[in-house]
């Protein structure tokens, strides 16, 4: 895998933007640490987590990217909304990855409260490492 030619799309939820933006910051900081070209990361903003799969699908079919990363957070509230959103987003992303033969990294934090989300912001860097590992693995198998 030639890192200089790798293209990554990031689909990020604007809901809970304070958390999403920090995840993206950790993601791009890790990219810089390993000397990955930031210009090879293209960011697509969506209103909320529910909208992530539709944009991931559109990006996957373009075949322009070596991987797609999803970033955001879904925080449990007092209704069943949390379960519905998490289930749909998770299932949608999995199906898109499998159906389109592209690594899609699930970087949507699913947490009980904002404190748990803030405690997991460092995962943004882990999502970057997972992205490169999956791109490398896909290229070896192809």
């Amino acid at each position: 895998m030639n890192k200089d030619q790798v293209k990554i799309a990031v689909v990020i939820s604007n809901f809970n933007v304070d958390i999403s933006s920090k995840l993206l910051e950790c993601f791009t900081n890790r990219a810089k640490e390993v000397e990955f070209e930031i210009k090879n990361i293209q960011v697509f903003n969506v209103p909320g987590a529910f909208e992530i799969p539709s944009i991931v699908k559109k990006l996957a079919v373009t075949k322009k990217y070596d991987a797609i990363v999803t970033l955001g957070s879904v925080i449990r509230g007092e209704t069943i909304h949390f379960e519905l959103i998490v289930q749909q987003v998770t299932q949608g992303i999995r199906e898109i990855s499998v159906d389109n033969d592209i690594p899609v990294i699930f970087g949507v934090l699913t947490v009980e409260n904002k404190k748990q989300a803030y405690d997991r912001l460092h995962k943004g860097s882990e999502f970057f490492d997972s992205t490169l590992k999956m791109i490398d693995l896909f290229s070896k198998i192809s």
Side-chain angles (χ1 to χ4, degrees):
M1 169 183 64
N2 182 350
K3 280 193 313 190
D4 295 336
Q5 296 178 350
V6 168
K7 304 284 187 217
I8 299 171
V10 176
V11 180
I12 184 169
S13 167
N14 286 338
F15 200 81
N16 296 319
V17 70
D18 53 328
I19 295 163
S20 299
S21 62
K22 290 290 186 187
L23 284 169
L24 181 61
E25 183 180 322
C26 290
F27 184 88
T28 55
N29 284 345
R30 179 65 181 144
K32 291 173 189 173
E33 285 175 14
V34 299
E35 299 178 355
F36 185 88
E37 292 285 341
I38 298 301
K39 67 179 181 169
N40 290 349
I41 299 172
Q42 190 166 6
V43 178
F44 299 86
N45 292 279
V46 296
F50 187 78
E51 292 78 21
I52 290 173
S54 61
I55 298 303
V56 169
K57 170 74 173 178
K58 288 191 94 47
L59 293 168
V61 298
T62 68
K63 305 291 184 194
K64 292 180 182 178
Y65 302 97
D66 299 289
I68 303 169
V69 179
T70 63
L71 296 176
S73 64
V74 182
I75 300 172
R76 185 180 300 278
E78 296 179 10
T79 67
I80 65 167
H81 185 75
F82 174 88
E83 286 84 5
L84 297 173
I85 296 298
V86 170
Q87 180 182 13
Q88 293 303 309
V89 173
T90 305
Q91 184 177 343
I93 290 169
R94 182 198 57 79
E95 288 174 6
I96 294 162
S97 181
V98 171
D99 292 348
N100 292 279
D101 197 32
I102 185 171
V104 180
I105 305 304
F106 187 78
V108 178
L109 303 178
T110 54
V111 294
E112 297 292 324
N113 53 56
K114 280 202 171 204
K115 182 185 180 325
Q116 287 181 352
Y118 285 114
D119 289 346
R120 288 162 179 76
L121 292 177
H122 67 280
K123 295 229 172 251
S125 61
E126 293 175 22
F127 299 144
F128 180 81
D129 291 340
S130 295
T131 303
L132 289 189
K133 287 176 187 171
M134 289 300 292
I135 291 168
D136 186 51
L137 188 55
F138 266 60
S139 70
K140 287 179 180 174
I141 295 171
S142 297

